[in-house]
Amino acid sequence: MEKKRVKCPNCGGILEVTNPKNEEVLLIKCPNPECNAKIRLRFDTGETQMSKLSADMTCPGKLLLGSQEYALQEGKNTLGRATKSTTATLPIETDDRSMSRLHVEIEVVRLKNGRMKALLRDIREPEKTAQKPTLVEGEALYPTDCICLTHGDIITIGDTEFRFVQET
């Protein structure tokens, strides 16, 4: 029986999830009565990948790291180095120790015209952001900044570079 501690991609609440039958994918509901988001947890890869289930299930964008793709969902997506204690909704398998376990947040919002935009924030503690700032196209991102990502942007988190791909 596998047990994981994960963060709801919709409300940000921390969930204790057990997998008594060792299933590859578990469908659960967030226990927060104000949220009740339907969440799919993957246990088959040794890491937990979470995604909020939505009616249209379209992917508004993704981050590319070599041949790996990290799909973004509508709402808040948190990225960080994958460890047993990470609460990131998109845990990154890396040996890059300059990437925090919870490093950045990409909030994907749907505009009134139906288009999507992705907003990037550095969510580390302020004293850690000065050590090695998150970069977007080579420009430092500071704790109070919120950057609207555009297709093709290069995001440097620690020593790891991602490319943002906007879905059409």
Side-chain angles (χ1 to χ4, degrees), residues 63-83:
L63 295 175
L64 302 178
L65 174 61
S67 62
Q68 291 182 296
E69 294 183 3
Y70 296 92
L72 300 172
Q73 301 295 321
E74 196 170 337
K76 292 183 179 180
N77 302 268
T78 53
L79 282 79
R81 183 171 36 89
T83 65

Side-chain angles (χ1 to χ4, degrees), residues 76 103-107 119-124 134 141-147:
K76 292 183 179 180
H103 203 107
V104 298
E105 172 186 275
I106 299 176
E107 184 174 6
L119 304 169
L120 176 72
R121 293 178 191 89
D122 192 318
I123 56 174
R124 296 176 295 157
T134 299
L141 182 68
Y142 295 100
T144 57
D145 292 344
C146 181
I147 303 291

Side-chain angles (χ1 to χ4, degrees), residues 63 136-137 147-155 162-165:
L63 295 175
V136 178
E137 291 294 311
I147 303 291
C148 187
L149 296 173
T150 58
H151 179 74
D153 277 349
I154 302 298
I155 304 162
F162 297 87
R163 187 165 59 90
F164 173 69
V165 177

Side-chain angles (χ1 to χ4, degrees), residues 10-164:
N10 190 48
C11 70
I14 303 298
L15 312 172
E16 293 282 340
V17 180
T18 56
N19 187 3
K21 297 179 184 174
N22 292 323
E23 298 177 46
E24 288 182 17
V25 177
L26 238 136
L27 296 175
I28 64 167
K29 250 173 103 173
C30 178
N32 179 348
E34 295 175 6
C35 177
N36 283 324
K38 294 178 183 172
I39 304 167
R40 179 184 55 198
L41 296 171
R42 293 184 52 111
F43 283 86
D44 61 334
T45 60
E47 66 182 62
T48 303
Q49 298 172 340
M50 295 181 55
S51 62
K52 185 173 90 170
L53 299 177
S54 63
D56 68 299
M57 287 301 288
T58 56
C59 173
K62 58 189 167 190
L63 295 175
L64 302 178
L65 174 61
S67 62
Q68 291 182 296
E69 294 183 3
Y70 296 92
L72 300 172
Q73 301 295 321
E74 196 170 337
K76 292 183 179 180
N77 302 268
T78 53
L79 282 79
R81 183 171 36 89
T83 65
K84 290 181 181 180
S85 63
T86 190
T87 57
T89 58
L90 293 173
I92 310 299
E93 289 292 334
T94 182
D95 293 330
D96 181 0
R97 303 286 294 167
S98 61
M99 181 186 298
S100 297
R101 290 177 295 223
L102 200 56
H103 203 107
V104 298
E105 172 186 275
I106 299 176
E107 184 174 6
V108 178
V109 294
R110 186 179 301 272
L111 303 173
K112 288 182 182 180
N113 63 8
R115 298 183 70 183
M116 304 283 230
K117 72 175 178 180
L119 304 169
L120 176 72
R121 293 178 191 89
D122 192 318
I123 56 174
R124 296 176 295 157
E125 290 116 23
E127 64 274 4
K128 291 185 179 179
T129 58
Q131 294 170 357
K132 188 164 243 176
T134 299
L135 306 175
V136 178
E137 291 294 311
E139 296 291 322
L141 182 68
Y142 295 100
T144 57
D145 292 344
C146 181
I147 303 291
C148 187
L149 296 173
T150 58
H151 179 74
D153 277 349
I154 302 298
I155 304 162
T156 307
I157 302 171
D159 290 323
T160 306
E161 280 191 358
F162 297 87
R163 187 165 59 90
F164 173 69

